[in-house]
Amino acid sequence: MRWVVAETGDGGARLCPLTQDGRPAGPVVRESSLAEAVRSRPEVERWVWRSTAEIYRRLLAAGVRVERCYDVEAAEALLIGHEEGQSGQPHSLAAAWARLHGLPVPADAPARAAETQPSLFEPGPVPLPPDTDEFTALLEVYAGQVARTARAEHPDRMRLLLASESAGMLVAAELSRTGIPWRADVHREVLDGLLGERFPGGLEPRRMAELADEVSRAFGESVRVRPDLPNDIIRAFARAGIALSSTRKWELQQIDHPAVASLLAYKSLYRLYTAHGWSWLQQWVHDGRFHPEYLPGGTVSGRWTTNGGGALQIPKVIRQAVRADPGWRLVVADADQMEPRVLAAVSRDGGLMEVAGTGQDLYADLAARAFGGDRDRAKLALLGAIYGQTSGDALKHMADLRRRYPAAVAYVDDAARAGEEGRLVRTWMGRTCPPASMAPPDEAGLPQEEERPGGYGSTAAARARGRFTRNFVVQGSAADWALLVLAALRHAMARAGLRAELVFFQHDEVIVHCPAEEAGTVAEAIATAAATAGRIAFGPTPVRFPFTTAVVECYADAK
């Protein structure tokens, strides 16, 4: 049975059981604290509450863990996107309640600035009207969401999406609290070796200063050229007769000039210094753990982001600092060719499902069947179909793929066409990409359509959106599947009574920190969770979702 719970202003909690349609199924109970309310009812199947990010953080601090929840605010964000294509609209409990009653919808609270820990004085939730308490609003909004879910295009899939998003919220809170094992001494050794001596007063470390001098000398300038300022570099090259549109690595590599090698080396160290240097280490790593704040569904496609700390962009050289505790291991698991396998499952293409059902190297198997054994050609064709590569060899290979696997290519072609025409596009489970008029910057870094020449109505903008929605239906469905993997793995480890702890998740990779003797059990649990997630998300298909798993003491050794 589900129970709804809300905190009261005096530190207590109100709660009651719910019927299938979200109505009260018993009397309202009062408890002295939220933690006691939840701890004393282990039989509750799923807790319904306002926001996991806030409520579960406090429960974890009190030593209370829950198995399942329903996050009303996370559900509101998904339902608004599904119904009206208004992803990114206010989704607080107060906004959902106002929407339910046809009242002006209040804006969401501003996002908290990235910091090591939430502030004691951070703003609370968006307030409800003075005559409406949180418990009453929760009951009304939840019942409304149950009814709205039943009206979704695919109600069962939508229920699954809401449940998996809420499960992801639980995992994210636990990941943030547990933290990634991190050796600060190893991190400092890496920085000292690569960056050199540190100078007081905020000056660049020795090796960066040396490279900056080399860049200036290469231009023969009497005035120092600042390699950390793109406009300085572009002007210096212009004086040398070389026109640049940017200082991106790929563009610099096309130039034959003595400054390029030093400049590229400087840029690499600059990224390390600013993103994961000594200041980062001091801010983010405490007591042997890095505690990032994960934001599930931080992108339109459902992929996670973080609120500062760069947990999803840990450079390979810094991974040397991610070390298991003595006697423990890191089980690092990468999903193999996840997006092509998801495409096979959602498109129901018989030929591609057969290829994706072997659990082997999908590209090699595809090459043997359709591309004369040329793995690179097969990979280029399949990724071209997903990402919309429509020029050069990719276009030629796409024709081969379309003949062999028509349903798979038609699936992404239809998504691209819908995107170009400004229609809503959904993942398999119902996560919705907003129409062009509502679209945020896409995940490839393209600006919004109104910032492009021609605006929303331009052919270029329509094609750009079509490329995005082509990938969205695959990448988003993969993100939804990954949430189910996390939920299944979390449940399996808890049910087995393991000491293992989930410590990291990134798109298609998960890391579990566990005693050495549990590593084999954890690896098996990951494989089982992947198969379970595939079956729950996509139904009975022959598609397999294998993981490449490494058991290591240091994260850097897994690659």
Side-chain angles (χ1 to χ4, degrees):
M1 178 175 285
R2 297 187 178 200
W3 281 61
V4 62
V5 63
E7 296 175 287
T8 56
D10 58 0
R14 297 173 67 193
L15 59 157
C16 76
L18 296 169
T19 63
Q20 289 284 340
D21 61 356
R23 308 294 176 182
V28 177
V29 179
R30 294 179 181 270
E31 293 283 1
S32 59
S33 72
L34 174 69
E36 181 57 31
V38 176
R39 182 187 289 113
S40 63
R41 293 171 175 81
E43 75 282 0
V44 173
E45 176 191 355
R46 191 181 301 272
W47 289 98
V48 176
W49 54 41
R50 176 176 54 81
S51 168
T52 304
E54 296 179 22
I55 294 173
Y56 196 42
R57 187 180 71 210
R58 292 195 288 276
L59 287 175
L60 288 172
V64 179
R65 182 184 183 277
V66 304
E67 186 63 31
R68 296 180 180 88
C69 78
Y70 178 99
D71 188 311
V72 164
E73 294 189 346
E76 184 68 15
L78 290 169
L79 286 168
I80 280 293
H82 187 275
E83 294 163 342
E84 304 175 28
Q86 294 187 6
S87 299
Q89 295 300 297
H91 62 278
S92 67
L93 176 64
W97 186 87
R99 204 173 277 121
L100 185 65
H101 290 271
L103 298 173
V105 176
D108 285 343
R112 179 172 56 79
E115 51 189 77
T116 54
Q117 302 220 357
S119 166
L120 293 175
F121 306 104
E122 66 183 38
V126 178
L128 289 153
D131 57 345
T132 304
D133 65 90
E134 181 174 322
F135 187 76
T136 301
L138 263 176
L139 283 172
E140 292 184 9
V141 169
Y142 176 65
Q145 289 183 348
V146 171
R148 291 158 65 192
T149 302
R151 296 192 297 268
E153 185 175 352
H154 298 284
D156 289 342
R157 295 186 199 173
M158 195 66 196
R159 291 187 190 96
L160 182 59
L161 178 61
L162 300 183
S164 60
E165 190 86 339
S166 293
M169 295 288 180
L170 292 175
V171 171
E174 292 170 358
L175 285 172
S176 295
R177 180 169 180 81
T178 302
I180 305 169
W182 203 280
R183 288 278 300 275
D185 58 331
V186 174
H187 191 145
R188 292 190 188 95
E189 289 175 5
V190 171
L191 295 177
D192 291 344
L194 292 174
L195 298 174
E197 181 184 358
R198 299 170 66 188
F199 299 119
L203 297 175
E204 293 179 334
R206 176 181 52 78
R207 182 56 186 147
M208 288 178 62
E210 291 172 350
L211 288 168
D213 288 341
E214 291 177 13
V215 170
S216 292
R217 287 197 300 271
F219 284 110
E221 301 272 349
S222 57
V223 178
R224 178 183 171 88
V225 176
R226 291 279 303 274
D228 58 325
L229 299 179
N231 286 339
D232 252 26
I233 295 299
I234 290 174
R235 283 194 294 266
F237 275 112
R239 288 192 292 271
I242 300 173
L244 288 179
S245 62
S246 73
T247 59
R248 292 187 179 92
K249 181 179 179 180
W250 67 267
E251 190 167 356
L252 291 172
Q253 288 175 328
Q254 310 302 312
I255 299 171
D256 182 12
H257 190 278
V260 170
S262 298
L263 180 57
L264 290 175
Y266 178 92
K267 286 169 65 69
S268 177
L269 293 184
Y270 180 81
R271 284 192 296 272
L272 175 63
Y273 175 59
T274 56
H276 290 90
W278 293 282
S279 296
W280 180 94
L281 184 60
Q282 182 177 11
Q283 180 182 9
W284 289 98
V285 178
H286 302 278
D287 300 321
R289 295 286 171 122
F290 166 34
H291 295 274
E293 182 181 348
Y294 294 92
L295 302 177
T299 64
V300 171
S301 71
R303 281 188 168 186
W304 290 19
T305 59
T306 58
N307 185 26
L312 305 184
Q313 297 89 31
I314 302 175
K316 289 184 179 180
V317 66
I318 295 298
R319 293 177 187 178
Q320 298 176 52
V322 182
R323 308 249 175 139
D325 293 341
W328 287 51
R329 297 292 184 270
L330 299 173
V331 181
V332 183
D334 278 307
D336 296 335
Q337 300 139 353
M338 177 177 68
E339 291 187 0
R341 293 177 186 278
V342 167
L343 174 58
V346 298
S347 69
R348 295 301 202 259
D349 187 291
L352 191 57
M353 285 196 295
E354 183 182 356
V355 174
T358 64
Q360 305 299 317
D361 182 342
L362 184 148
Y363 298 127
D365 200 350
L366 179 62
R369 295 166 184 252
F371 291 91
D374 189 335
R375 184 184 185 278
D376 290 341
R377 184 176 160 214
K379 181 176 181 180
L380 182 63
L382 193 50
L383 294 182
I386 295 173
Y387 291 101
Q389 297 169 343
T390 57
S391 62
D393 288 342
L395 181 61
K396 179 179 64 177
H397 300 331
M398 271 283 288
D400 294 336
L401 196 69
R402 185 171 278 108
R403 284 193 298 271
R404 290 277 185 170
Y405 308 107
V409 177
Y411 192 87
V412 289
D413 282 347
D414 289 346
R417 189 176 304 109
E420 290 181 8
E421 294 172 358
R423 292 184 279 126
L424 296 182
V425 179
R426 309 190 197 282
T427 66
W428 178 260
M429 285 165 54
R431 192 183 301 270
T432 305
C433 183
S437 59
M438 302 287 300
D442 70 36
E443 295 177 76
L446 293 173
Q448 295 189 33
E449 275 90 347
E450 68 263 32
E451 298 174 1
R452 302 179 188 138
Y456 291 123
S458 72
T459 301
R463 288 177 178 171
R465 178 169 172 74
R467 287 194 299 273
F468 179 65
T469 53
R470 171 186 291 274
N471 179 233
F472 171 84
V473 293
V474 181
Q475 186 184 95
S477 297
D480 297 342
W481 167 82
L483 287 175
L484 292 171
V485 174
L486 290 176
L489 177 59
R490 174 180 180 267
H491 178 71
M493 293 195 306
R495 185 179 53 204
L498 302 181
R499 297 167 63 195
E501 51 192 19
L502 270 166
V503 296
F504 181 74
F505 167 65
Q506 173 187 250
H507 311 326
D508 58 357
E509 180 180 41
V510 64
I511 301 180
V512 177
H513 184 228
C514 65
E517 62 272 17
E518 291 182 1
T521 302
V522 168
E524 291 178 4
I526 293 171
T528 300
T532 300
R535 184 175 62 255
I536 293 174
F538 309 120
T541 75
V543 178
R544 294 182 60 188
F545 296 92
F547 274 79
T548 295
T549 303
V551 179
V552 296
E553 294 185 45
C554 174
Y555 184 22
D557 294 337
K559 300 291 184 178

